[in-house]
Amino acid sequence: MTTVRYADVEVGTELPEQTYPVRRADLVRYAGASGDFNPIHWSDRVAREVGLPGVIAHGMFTMAQAGRLITDWVGDPGAVVEYGVRFSAPVVVPDDEQGTEIVVGGTVTKKLDDNQVVVAITARSAGTRVLARSTAVVRLA
């Protein structure tokens, strides 16, 4: 059940920004869960051979991290009615203990009928916007 009430949200309401760490081990776990073992997600050599700056996070992994902002805010993954993104830059993950981070924020841009709101989502890694046109429609209490 959602914990955010429609009456308590206005256009312009900002969701608390979240930072999600990403390390190579996270990519290995995601590859195992998703079945996506493309070597650009674990081999620097292959990533560079195809023109990437290094190993990159899976696009769907990046999308899922951004989606966590919404589900953590609303308290109920089932409240997400629609969710879509456009990938604008890769999340490069160095081969060290620190890895990188995905910083995600959001703003309510529209109130709809049926207790639904539209949230515009921003996601950055290493100062670069990694998702564009990212929005979620969420049904609130």
Side-chain angles (χ1 to χ4, degrees), residues 8-133:
D8 296 336
V9 174
E10 297 299 329
V11 170
T13 297
E14 292 188 16
L15 283 61
E17 187 174 85
Q18 300 294 319
T19 300
Y20 302 109
V22 184
R23 293 175 188 80
R24 292 276 178 100
D26 299 316
L27 303 185
V28 171
R29 283 189 288 277
Y30 185 83
S34 68
D36 182 353
F37 294 101
N38 187 321
I40 65 171
H41 303 303
W42 55 267
S43 170
D44 280 310
R45 179 184 54 80
V46 172
R48 287 192 177 97
E49 283 175 359
V50 299
L52 295 167
V55 165
I56 63 169
H58 303 74
M60 296 306 286
F61 176 88
T62 303
M63 184 178 179
Q65 298 308 302
R68 285 176 59 188
L69 175 80
I70 302 298
T71 59
D72 289 351
W73 173 64
V74 77
D76 177 10
V80 178
V81 177
E82 294 177 24
Y83 178 47
V85 307
R86 182 173 181 188
F87 303 106
S88 55
V91 174
V92 180
V93 183
D95 189 12
D96 59 25
E97 293 302 315
Q98 291 75 38
T100 192
E101 296 176 331
I102 301 172
V103 180
V104 185
T107 305
V108 174
T109 58
K110 187 183 288 189
K111 290 183 85 169
L112 306 172
D113 294 333
D114 197 26
N115 286 11
Q116 296 182 54
V117 297
V118 177
V119 179
I121 302 164
T122 60
R124 296 189 178 289
S125 182
T128 299
R129 189 169 96 176
V130 295
L131 298 177
R133 298 186 197 164

